[in-house]
Amino acid sequence: SQYAHDWMHTMVVNGVWNTVMYLMLTALISNKVRDAPAQLGVLVGLWTLPGRVSGNTAALADVFSAPRWKSSSKGRHLKCTASEAISMYGIIKVFVVAVFLRAGECVAECNAYVFACDVLDLLVQAAQGTIRGEKLRDAVGNFLRACLAANWRQFLHPKFHWMLHLVIELVRFGLLLTCWVHERKHRMVK
């Protein structure tokens, strides 16, 4: 009854967001937007993040470089650190809505990505105690339905199921756990 899933590992450490990002980009590439990863790399590289968050958007843009995209394709998920994912998911969401959805490119896949970002928005805010379980439940439900609409059932690994547990744990404990601090300390030791 005390076990709790870590939303950081669920979503952005070889997690749900990484898989959805890869699947959306693969769909765009298959649908005549062959340079979608390069477009996102340029976009992220041009973005100016607040200095307190990260001043190095060139490193974020490198996630979409040809060698890293090749590695992501081999692994069937976008390979990046959790911090990189959190820093760029919102930037990419804006681009997906303003460009790909507006152009009618891969609508089901892009909608699934947007719903994944909505879930991430709530999870990031959960640390402030401002998110209720019902709101997260609705966002997770919308996201999972969007994944099914995009015909991604075969790509839904166990971390997609963990999202359902996050809702239960938010209601039970009033907060959600993350491992950001432990991961930083682990890197120092390594």
Side-chain angles (χ1 to χ4, degrees), residues 43 51 59 72 90 145 160 162 167 187:
L43 169 77
S72 292
R145 282 188 291 279
F160 283 80
W162 294 3
V167 175
R187 278 192 167 179

Side-chain angles (χ1 to χ4, degrees), residues 69-104:
W69 176 247
K70 185 177 179 181
S71 176
S72 292
S73 295
K74 192 174 183 178
R76 301 184 120 201
H77 67 276
L78 186 70
K79 292 187 177 182
C80 65
T81 66
S83 294
E84 288 170 336
I86 292 296
S87 295
M88 68 180 157
Y89 82 89
I91 299 168
I92 295 168
K93 178 183 175 182
V94 169
F95 190 75
V96 167
V97 170
V99 177
F100 298 139
L101 281 175
R102 185 174 282 174

Side-chain angles (χ1 to χ4, degrees), residues 17-176:
W17 180 86
N18 305 81
T19 301
V20 168
M21 186 70 199
Y22 169 76
L23 292 172
M24 180 190 68
L25 284 171
T26 302
L28 288 165
I29 291 167
S30 297
N31 200 40
K32 302 178 200 154
V33 187
R34 302 217 185 288
D35 64 340
Q39 285 183 33
L40 293 183
V42 169
L43 169 77
V44 170
L46 294 173
W47 204 271
T48 302
L49 293 170
R52 64 180 172 74
V53 176
S54 172
N56 191 0
T57 53
L60 289 179
D62 184 55
V63 169
F64 299 101
S65 67
R68 289 205 44 197
W69 176 247
K70 185 177 179 181
S71 176
S72 292
S73 295
K74 192 174 183 178
R76 301 184 120 201
H77 67 276
L78 186 70
K79 292 187 177 182
C80 65
T81 66
S83 294
E84 288 170 336
I86 292 296
S87 295
M88 68 180 157
Y89 82 89
I91 299 168
I92 295 168
K93 178 183 175 182
V94 169
F95 190 75
V96 167
V97 170
V99 177
F100 298 139
L101 281 175
R102 185 174 282 174
E105 296 290 342
C106 302
V107 173
E109 293 86 350
C110 289
N111 279 331
Y113 178 78
V114 169
F115 283 123
C117 291
D118 291 346
V119 171
L120 261 174
D121 286 340
L122 293 174
L123 293 172
V124 169
Q125 294 172 33
Q128 275 67 47
T130 58
I131 302 305
R132 298 174 97 37
E134 304 83 41
K135 191 166 189 170
L136 182 59
R137 182 196 65 225
D138 292 344
V140 168
N142 289 337
F143 166 66
L144 292 174
R145 282 188 291 279
C147 287
L148 295 178
N151 294 316
W152 289 346
R153 182 181 297 267
Q154 70 272 21
F155 300 105
L156 304 184
H157 50 76
K159 289 185 179 184
F160 283 80
H161 175 76
W162 294 3
M163 295 172 69
L164 300 171
H165 291 280
L166 293 176
V167 175
I168 295 165
E169 291 156 7
L170 178 59
V171 171
R172 180 184 298 151
F173 302 125
L175 58 92
L176 292 172

